[in-house]
Amino acid sequence: MNTPQDFFLPPDLVARALASLAEQCHDEIDRLLAQLHQGAPDIKSERTFYLRQYRAFIKAAYHWGRGVRPVPTPTGGWLVPSGTRAGIIHEVVRHGGVWVCGPSCEGRDAFHWHVALVAGIERAIELADEEDDGDGEPPLLDDVPFLPDAPA
């Protein structure tokens, strides 16, 4: 796995992204707790959904803080080490626009920390683009080229 120094994003940016995603889930849980009733899905099912996501983002933040860094694959997926089985590496890939773990992962049928970590990295990339101040980019040129005045 990559060491924290080798990863292409600043560690604090990924940590902020994971915290932001966890906070969004927490806000949804609070909103649902204040709601009296709704149609399908029912409030209990929806709260369970957001609580699972919240816990996954918290666990992903824990693993990120402990130095776990997934490795990108040439096919656009990520390799993430198992948190419970030493030496096992899971591939997280995108299927139909959704990140999912491969068959080696016992939690592959539900949203869990491997997928949450990749979602956090994806969010961190978006934050990096939003926060980019353009320091490393060439200056924009005027539409009209500069031509010196001709001598009279």
Side-chain angles (χ1 to χ4, degrees), residues 2-13:
N2 289 335
T3 62
Q5 299 81 14
D6 293 339
F7 203 73
F8 69 98
L9 290 169
D12 65 313
L13 184 64

Side-chain angles (χ1 to χ4, degrees), residues 2 4-5 11-13 17 19-20 32-34 45 53 62 74 81 86 88 93 97 107 124 129-130 140 148 151:
N2 289 335
Q5 299 81 14
D12 65 313
L13 184 64
S20 170
L32 290 164
L33 287 172
S45 298
Q53 288 198 349
Y62 167 78
I88 302 295
V93 296
D129 288 344
E130 291 170 9
L140 295 175

Side-chain angles (χ1 to χ4, degrees), residues 41-123:
D42 61 63
I43 292 174
K44 183 178 178 184
S45 298
E46 200 166 353
R47 267 195 355 240
T48 300
F49 170 82
Y50 283 110
L51 187 57
R52 175 181 289 282
Q53 288 198 349
Y54 174 77
R55 289 178 178 151
F57 286 123
I58 295 299
K59 194 168 183 179
Y62 167 78
H63 285 287
W64 179 261
R66 301 270 306 176
V68 172
R69 300 297 184 262
V71 176
T73 68
T75 59
W78 294 88
L79 300 177
V80 182
S82 173
T84 56
R85 297 183 290 160
I88 302 295
I89 306 296
H90 306 296
E91 185 176 20
V92 180
V93 296
R94 197 182 281 279
H95 282 287
V98 178
W99 290 109
V100 295
C101 253
S104 65
C105 182
E106 293 174 353
R108 68 186 168 274
D109 294 330
F111 191 82
H112 60 291
W113 78 267
H114 302 138
V115 176
L117 182 56
V118 171
I121 291 168
E122 189 172 56
R123 178 63 184 132

